[in-house]
Amino acid sequence: MTFLQGLLPPAGPVRALAVSGFAGTVGHGVILTVGVLFFTRSVGLSADQVGLGMTTAAACGVVAGVLAGRASDAVGPRPTAIALTLVQGLAVACCPLVGDFTGFLVATGLVMGCHSASEAARGALIAAAVGAAERVRARAYLHAVTNAGLAVGTALGGVALHRDTRPVYAALLLVSGALLVFSGLACLRLPPAPRTGRPPGARPWDVLRDRRFALFTALNTVLVTNDSLITVVLPLWIARRTQAPLTSYSAILLLNTVVVVCFQVRAGRRVGDVPSGIRALRRSGALLALCCACFALAAGRTPWVAVAALMAGAVTHVIGELLYSVGSWALAFELAPEHAHGQYQGVFTMSIQLGGMVAPAAGTALIIGGGTSGWLAFAAVLLAAGLAAPAVARLR
């Protein structure tokens, strides 16, 4: 019971954010599962059109996150997060009305732009609602909730994939939109954040002149690619380069979800300042490099050996992911001045979006095309990023 109680967010702002986050991520999980198939199978768009639209929408998300962070500093993170989540929910609910490529571009641009922007605003909202010593722990609770919500949303999306009809797709998109609207309204339970005055000499875009934060975001852009390695590259690797059954990928995703939900909060207990955050990133880089080597070993092996190598890589990866998460949150919060959490969270979110944009194309070209040597090249890049993390502390 003690372990289970430790998974529950504490009463107050963190619990309110968790309720909002769970509803929003269930809705987002539905979108991730059924969105592409709805637009291709029901609307009739080509794969090339969907790919172009998703890339354009991702670019909108990169820009939107930075602008939302600035808006959070100017008008407050709570109204910014609420407004963006409401717009996202309405855009998702309108997706069943899309009938051509232009409508698809508008809808996906709004959905992904608002999603990225609301993530930046929520980062600033956490900084405003929670004391400095508890911010990483709060983010850990919310990340665990996010994974649980995505799992539920993916399961709901699986119902639509099984039925594979336009009415079912449309109904789930409406449900997703309603969940996102609820997610935004749930933030009304949070008290208004006190305004932090800008000190003399501070500028609206001080984050762009912060060398330490620039180095951190560059390293974060590299380390965050670990997510795409699991979600995009690994299933292709299993299918094309190994003799492991495809069901092993389902087991890997289940393992990842369960471990993150159960242990993300525990991983954040000893990480809350710059030195501990840097240590976590350094260890994360080493573990993520090791997981790449394990995945590489699965090629050309017998099915059982391949599965063993893949599961060893999955365990190593999820531990590295836990450390990466808490380390990146610690630096994102601790390197930001109190008056500018919005703009710093916006740039932090931008680095995550950039990593998510580059990793699928780079990973598939380097790893699926290059085989084992591609995995080892990716391992070297991740290891170098982790080893470079201490340089963040030395910059001033």
Side-chain angles (χ1 to χ4, degrees), residues 12 34 68-69 95 110 116 120 124-125 138 143 145 164 177 199 205 219 224 261 274 345 362 377 381:
V34 308
C95 282
L110 279 173
S116 175
L125 188 55
H143 188 59
V145 167
D164 195 24
W205 291 104
L219 298 179
V224 78
V261 170
V274 172
Q345 288 295 322
V381 171

Side-chain angles (χ1 to χ4, degrees), residues 74-380:
V75 302
R78 190 182 77 153
T80 303
I82 292 172
L84 289 166
T85 308
L86 292 178
V87 173
Q88 184 188 8
L90 294 174
V92 171
C94 289
C95 282
L97 302 177
V98 172
D100 56 23
F101 181 58
T102 302
F104 168 69
L105 284 177
V106 174
T108 54
L110 279 173
V111 171
M112 295 187 70
C114 287
H115 176 71
S116 175
S118 64
E119 288 298 301
R122 283 176 183 270
L125 188 55
I126 294 169
V130 182
E134 294 298 319
R135 286 169 183 164
V136 172
R137 186 171 173 82
R139 191 99 192 208
Y141 275 116
L142 299 178
H143 188 59
V145 167
T146 295
N147 275 263
L150 285 174
V152 173
T154 301
L156 289 175
V159 174
L161 298 183
H162 176 71
R163 306 291 289 185
D164 195 24
T165 63
R166 184 184 180 98
V168 174
Y169 285 134
L172 271 183
L173 287 171
L174 289 172
V175 170
S176 176
L179 286 168
L180 287 162
V181 169
F182 173 81
S183 174
L185 295 177
C187 289
L188 291 171
R189 297 177 57 195
L190 295 166
R195 299 293 297 277
T196 302
R198 202 163 60 199
R203 302 177 185 179
W205 291 104
D206 278 343
V207 65
L208 301 181
R209 303 173 181 84
D210 191 326
R211 293 192 302 159
R212 284 208 301 175
F213 205 77
L215 175 59
F216 161 60
T217 52
L219 298 179
N220 190 65
T221 302
V222 174
L223 291 172
V224 78
T225 59
N226 79 85
D227 181 67
S228 294
L229 287 180
I230 288 291
T231 59
V232 178
V233 178
L234 187 60
L236 294 174
W237 175 256
I238 293 173
R240 298 184 184 182
R241 293 284 193 147
T242 78
Q243 297 184 48
L246 290 178
T247 51
S248 60
Y249 180 62
S250 297
I252 289 171
L253 287 184
L254 179 62
L255 170 72
N256 184 276
T257 300
V258 171
V259 171
V260 170
V261 170
C262 293
F263 295 101
Q264 185 67 81
V265 176
R266 181 169 294 188
R269 287 178 179 173
R270 297 183 179 180
V271 179
D273 55 16
V274 172
S276 60
I278 286 172
R279 285 195 299 272
L281 289 184
R282 187 176 66 241
R283 293 167 182 169
S284 171
L287 287 168
L288 293 174
L290 179 60
C291 91
C292 290
C294 291
F295 291 147
L297 286 174
R301 311 292 177 179
T302 62
W304 284 109
V305 174
V307 168
L310 291 171
M311 294 308 296
V315 171
T316 308
H317 173 273
V318 75
I319 298 172
E321 179 187 349
L322 294 176
L323 290 171
Y324 157 72
S325 296
V326 295
S328 64
W329 298 331
L331 294 185
F333 284 129
E334 290 296 309
L335 294 178
E338 287 299 317
H339 73 278
H341 275 292
Q343 57 179 290
Y344 276 72
Q345 288 295 322
V347 172
F348 174 61
T349 301
M350 181 191 72
S351 70
I352 295 173
Q353 297 293 322
L354 285 173
M357 284 179 61
V358 172
T364 52
L366 193 61
I367 294 172
I368 305 304
T372 299
S373 60
W375 277 115
L376 296 180
F378 235 96

